[in-house]
Amino acid sequence: MSKGSPSFPPKRQMAEETIPMKAIVVTDQAAGTAGMTLVERPEPQAAINDVVVQVHASGFVPTEMAWPSTWTDRLDRDRTPSIPGHELAGVVTALGYGTTGLSVGQRVFGLTDWTRDGTLAEYVAVEARNLAPLPGDVDFTVGASLPISGLTAWQGLFEHGRLQAGQSVLVHGAAGAVGSMTTQLAREAGAYIIGTGRAADRQTVFDFGGQEFVDLENDALEDVGEVDLVFDVIGGDIGRRSAGLVRAGGTLVSIVGPPEARPADGLAIDFVVESDRAQLSEIAQRVRDGRLRTNIGQVATLDDAIAALNPTERRKGKTIIRVRP
């Protein structure tokens, strides 16, 4: 489809259910992000308890292509062609029957359901409870970068890790989208932060509030000593070795599946992030206050999204697709 396609913007006098929108779809699991295509799809309708949101900006997590929910629904039925992307910031345009708590015209942001069409589209239908109001002084691009990274960091630290002031936290991938949020929230909570990454990440980790840095390619991870909490976004060998660093009563929290090794005298927890309106509001407030900085890398339009989501070099920060200019 050329950028100058005459069908956009759509003519609004068409029958409501056939109004087309631009969306990115995937159909081939083996092809991953390389199999993305930009197509026209019908605008979604709002079911009970849903809202329809005009997407202004969308976030995307590269691992989505490996998630079963991208390809099948809750009953394991094929749901392709599916629209990926689960983070959004935008404006409510329609309310489903029985929907409360949000209004048409309201700025919102949040995390959409894993097994429904997502946010790499001009419109998305989403359960109202998965969204929070987006303050007027928080840009849509920033808003779309917050849900997965912010909620993952919040839930991993405070719900699952039970972080207390004065504790030490080993944050793997501390320069990444989740790691930088984790570092900032833990530092604000009064923890001592040891961040890990590649040598090139050192200054970024310090900029986000890390107090020590471990170069995973050249330093000995075991030199860290004992910590109260490990926040693991890497898994594999690093995850296994990290279990031995958790002191008695401490916790290893993983977002990359069940830990392969468990602390000798502590907890090992893996979790999948969930949307939470109150937590989203806490995160947005910290962004407004300047206490929390998001880690945005590339920003691309929906027309240029496929190239942006298939980078030829290592990503730095989170890729955001700006659906509306």
Side-chain angles (χ1 to χ4, degrees):
M1 185 188 303
S2 70
K3 289 188 184 179
S5 175
S7 57
F8 294 101
K11 294 183 173 60
R12 287 284 156 189
Q13 66 265 35
M14 294 167 68
E16 190 65 33
E17 63 274 11
T18 61
I19 295 176
M21 66 171 183
K22 281 198 270 193
I24 286 173
V25 298
V26 291
T27 54
D28 180 358
Q29 188 164 2
T33 54
M36 290 176 162
T37 51
L38 183 63
V39 300
E40 290 187 8
R41 290 284 292 272
E43 275 186 22
Q45 304 294 302
I48 293 172
N49 298 324
D50 276 357
V51 296
V52 173
V53 179
Q54 182 182 54
V55 181
H56 283 243
S58 169
F60 176 78
V61 178
T63 54
E64 275 186 40
M65 295 298 111
W67 301 350
S69 57
T70 298
W71 309 101
T72 57
D73 66 14
R74 284 190 169 84
L75 298 176
D76 205 33
R77 297 174 301 200
D78 175 47
R79 68 179 200 87
T80 59
S82 61
I83 301 173
H86 292 283
E87 299 169 282
L88 83 155
V91 175
V92 175
T93 57
L95 305 178
Y97 182 80
T99 299
T100 58
L102 297 173
S103 55
V104 171
Q106 187 169 12
R107 289 166 51 100
V108 292
F109 76 119
L111 180 59
T112 67
D113 192 296
W114 307 123
T115 55
R116 294 175 67 178
D117 276 342
T119 60
L120 289 174
E122 293 182 302
Y123 293 86
V124 63
V126 53
E127 279 191 76
R129 66 190 178 102
N130 289 341
L131 302 171
L134 181 69
D137 53 359
V138 178
D139 182 80
F140 287 116
T141 301
V142 172
S145 74
L146 296 172
I148 287 182
S149 303
L151 290 170
T152 299
W154 187 282
Q155 291 165 19
L157 288 172
F158 305 126
E159 288 188 7
H160 304 293
R162 305 182 313 284
L163 181 66
Q164 305 291 320
Q167 290 186 328
S168 54
V169 186
L170 178 63
V171 181
H172 286 310
V178 173
S180 59
M181 286 277 183
T182 304
T183 297
Q184 293 175 87
L185 289 172
R187 182 75 185 265
E188 187 198 23
Y192 182 84
I193 314 301
I194 305 156
T196 78
R198 302 185 189 189
D201 298 329
R202 180 185 301 269
Q203 192 55 50
T204 302
V205 171
F206 288 137
D207 289 345
F208 279 112
Q211 287 141 299
E212 286 183 37
F213 179 76
V214 179
D215 173 357
L216 290 175
E217 294 173 321
N218 298 297
D219 298 338
L221 179 61
E222 286 69 22
D223 288 349
V224 164
E226 289 190 324
V227 295
D228 297 293
L229 178 63
V230 173
F231 199 112
D232 184 21
V233 303
I234 299 174
D237 180 57
I238 295 297
R240 282 192 297 274
R241 290 160 61 195
S242 298
L245 303 176
V246 177
R247 68 167 48 100
T251 308
L252 168 65
V253 172
S254 166
I255 64 166
V256 287
E260 295 177 32
R262 308 180 76 82
D265 193 14
L267 292 173
I269 295 171
D270 69 292
F271 76 101
V272 175
V273 63
E274 297 179 350
S275 200
D276 185 294
R277 182 178 289 174
Q279 292 172 7
L280 285 168
S281 296
E282 290 273 8
I283 290 160
Q285 187 60 51
R286 282 163 172 74
V287 172
R288 299 178 75 193
D289 293 346
R291 290 180 283 162
L292 192 60
R293 285 188 297 121
T294 188
N295 189 1
I296 295 173
Q298 186 178 4
V299 180
T301 65
L302 192 59
D303 287 314
D304 296 329
I306 293 171
L309 298 174
N310 286 275
T312 54
E313 47 198 52
R314 187 184 174 212
R315 288 180 176 86
K316 288 189 175 143
K318 188 163 189 69
T319 301
I320 297 295
I321 303 307
R322 186 81 194 200
V323 179
R324 290 183 66 78

